[in-house]
Amino acid sequence: MVEYDNDKPIIYIGDGGTRSIIVWNVQVNEGYRVKLPYSSTSTCSDFSTEDIFYLVLIENFNTNYIYFTYLSSTNMFKVRTKKPNTPNTIIQKIF
């Protein structure tokens, strides 16, 4: 997925096998990995390394979110896209 922050593309790549979202800033050619909590796979009926990981970017007026889940999971989560790897990052369980 691509989000544009002041015309600067930020790419988000889901890595379900490692419970991670990779964030890549195209303009400065650098990125980082956001490790997702174990609870994001706790209800999966399949091994998370073999499951399908879904991501979707929801753009809002004030804040953008990435919603994510696994195919075999009963839970869905969301995280803000602005600086998702800071210590104050909150990953919220939706259901």
Side-chain angles (χ1 to χ4, degrees):
M1 300 177 307
V2 178
E3 176 185 43
Y4 290 90
D5 184 17
N6 297 322
D7 294 327
K8 300 172 188 169
I10 308 293
I11 298 174
Y12 299 95
I13 303 163
D15 186 356
T18 63
R19 289 188 347 263
S20 303
I21 297 174
I22 300 164
V23 182
W24 189 259
N25 185 324
V26 175
Q27 186 174 17
V28 296
N29 199 32
E30 67 180 21
Y32 54 90
R33 178 182 305 266
V34 178
K35 192 70 172 169
L36 303 175
Y38 176 74
S39 61
S40 64
T41 60
S42 63
T43 64
C44 289
S45 59
D46 294 333
F47 293 111
S48 62
T49 56
E50 299 173 2
D51 207 343
I52 299 172
F53 187 56
Y54 291 101
L55 296 174
V56 64
L57 175 66
I58 303 295
E59 297 179 316
N60 198 338
F61 293 109
N62 299 329
T63 305
N64 296 341
Y65 287 94
I66 294 175
Y67 286 76
F68 60 92
T69 189
Y70 285 86
L71 177 64
S72 69
S73 177
T74 59
N75 296 330
M76 180 177 282
F77 299 85
K78 72 177 181 178
V79 62
R80 287 182 60 180
T81 60
K82 300 297 180 202
K83 299 185 180 181
N85 202 30
T86 61
N88 296 327
T89 297
I90 298 173
I91 298 177
Q92 297 174 305
K93 181 178 174 183
I94 306 301
F95 58 85

